Amino acid sequence: MRTGVRLLLSQDEQAAREIARTLDQLNRERRSIEDGIREEAEEIAAQIVSAPQDGEPFVLCPYQPDWHEGVIGIVAARLRERFHRPTIVFTKTADGSIKGSGRSIPWFHIRDAIAAVDAQHPSLITKFGGHAAAAGLSLAKETDIAVFTEAFAAVARRELRASDLEEIIYSDGELGESTACLDTALAIEKGGPWGREFEPPIFHGTFLVKNVRELRSNTLKCTVQKEQWALDAIWFRRNSEQSLEEGKRYTMVYALSVNRWRSRENLQLRIEKVLEEHP
């Protein structure tokens, strides 16, 4: 954080460039750490969902003692997106305590759920806080994770139905060539800030995919074509089991975004979900 503030306050262009390079390197390192932890956490979560021990798992609480505490919140968000369950990712801190960072789904207030566990087990949670969509907590020791997970899952089973674990995607419809344009993307951008219960517009459509290329382990770039018009597209945060093949058609959910590069603005379709593959 201090490095970012130094960049914003710098009055010297050369010094600012050096700070910017440092920030870029830090971000690349964070992204690499995040990708590794996300892959491990997704594997654990996939095993829980595919082979449940006691009925349908309503929550996910993966833990590894060596996960970096600076990215567990981001990883929790990625697991929530993929598996559509309230998720808390745990790791061990330098002092030996356990830190958890959680993200939730609609209709489940994760901070209140943690408070309910705290009321049932007054000495279990050392501190917690947050809001409906995101929360954090601390536990004293590793053995407390199992106790917390069981109590947290019990709260989720009381408040959620199995159908709540099935994600519902609300689309603003299909766009034609005249509306899938840079002006529309800029208008959406200016319409924010967007957030929970004021979601940015998303759309759906079926496209022919061309020019697929992988930018890094979980990001693909491609061209999508519909009738006579084509758009550049990018797919962030895909899991390793998902991909796109050139020459195939896919129904996908997407957002319109503005790609800014060297003072130029171009329309870019940002793929949110791939729903169906067509022959």
Side-chain angles (χ1 to χ4, degrees), residues 91-112:
T91 191
K92 183 180 286 189
T93 65
D95 65 5
S97 64
I98 303 300
K99 179 180 179 180
S101 185
R103 300 294 184 270
S104 194
I105 61 175
W107 323 121
F108 187 75
H109 196 301
I110 193 168
R111 188 267 174 199
D112 286 357

Side-chain angles (χ1 to χ4, degrees), residues 66-67 73 160 185 191 279:
D66 59 345
W67 285 345
L160 295 172

Side-chain angles (χ1 to χ4, degrees), residues 197-209:
E197 298 185 5
F198 188 57
E199 308 292 339
I202 59 172
F203 311 95
H204 72 277
T206 301
F207 298 92
L208 177 66
V209 171

Side-chain angles (χ1 to χ4, degrees), residues 2-21:
R2 291 191 185 93
T3 308
V5 172
R6 282 175 52 218
L7 174 62
L8 294 173
L9 295 178
S10 177
Q11 300 294 314
D12 180 85
E13 181 177 350
Q14 184 58 37
R17 289 182 180 278
E18 289 297 326
I19 298 170
R21 277 192 282 268

